[in-house]
């Protein structure tokens, strides 16, 4: 799969596996999509992501910063101002994650139909 033989996401000991798990997290995808157009403050990101708690947002932002996908900039102002923005590495994730989000939106009618059919069969099977 990888061009570099040292990295194999299918191997349980490969660090790329944890990276994939972070990228596959639903909040990560939505944060990357939210920050694609430029820096945002914490409250702006939280308001854009319906349903995320402050604790989960803080944790996810920290994880993305640790992985080099996100930059946190604190400004020495009163009141304090902090902005989050994608790094160049983070921007490389935008297109694939946006494609996944678009796929989810485009195909939800089919998914919902398949779920209903499955549930109907499971209830009568």
């Amino acid at each position: 799969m990888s061009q570099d033989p040292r990295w194999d996401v299918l191997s349980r000991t490969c660090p790329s596996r944890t990276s994939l798990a972070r990228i596959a997290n639903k909040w990560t995808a939505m944060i990357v999509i939210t920050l694609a157009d430029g820096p945002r403050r914490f409250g702006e990101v939280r308001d854009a992501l319906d349903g995320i708690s402050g604790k989960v947002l803080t944790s996810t932002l920290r994880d993305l910063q640790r992985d080099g996908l996100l930059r946190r900039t604190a400004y020495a102002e009163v009141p304090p101002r902090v902005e989050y923005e994608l790094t160049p590495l983070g921007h490389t994730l935008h297109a694939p994650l946006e494609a996944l989000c678009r796929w989810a939106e485009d195909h939800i009618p089919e998914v919902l139909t398949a779920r209903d059919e499955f549930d109907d069969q499971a209830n009568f099977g």
Side-chain angles (χ1 to χ4, degrees):
M1 187 176 238
S2 172
Q3 299 293 346
D4 188 331
R6 295 175 299 164
W7 311 123
D8 179 2
V9 76
L10 301 179
S11 171
R12 69 177 164 190
T13 60
C14 184
S16 66
R17 186 178 274 197
T18 58
S19 182
L20 178 60
R22 175 133 29 254
I23 293 164
N25 175 289
K26 71 177 179 179
W27 295 119
T28 294
M30 290 187 239
I31 289 169
V32 169
I33 297 298
T34 300
L35 294 176
D37 293 330
R40 289 194 181 205
R41 295 177 73 168
F42 182 90
E44 294 172 316
V45 176
R46 185 190 59 228
D47 291 347
L49 301 176
D50 187 26
I52 193 169
S53 71
K55 181 180 177 180
V56 170
L57 178 56
T58 297
S59 175
T60 307
L61 289 170
R62 237 182 243 137
D63 289 341
L64 293 172
Q65 184 180 0
R66 182 173 184 247
D67 285 352
L69 303 172
L70 174 76
R71 181 178 304 111
R72 179 186 185 272
T73 305
Y75 296 92
E77 300 175 352
V78 177
R81 178 171 58 106
V82 175
E83 289 183 340
Y84 298 90
E85 64 183 318
L86 296 177
T87 62
L89 180 61
H91 276 287
T92 66
L93 270 178
H94 179 252
L97 291 179
E98 184 179 47
L100 286 172
C101 290
R102 195 173 326 109
W103 182 93
E105 292 171 347
D106 289 348
H107 295 281
I108 192 61
E110 296 156 275
V111 170
L112 293 174
T113 298
R115 286 180 187 171
D116 288 344
E117 290 171 0
F118 180 89
D119 291 346
D120 287 346
Q121 290 175 359
N123 289 332
F124 293 110

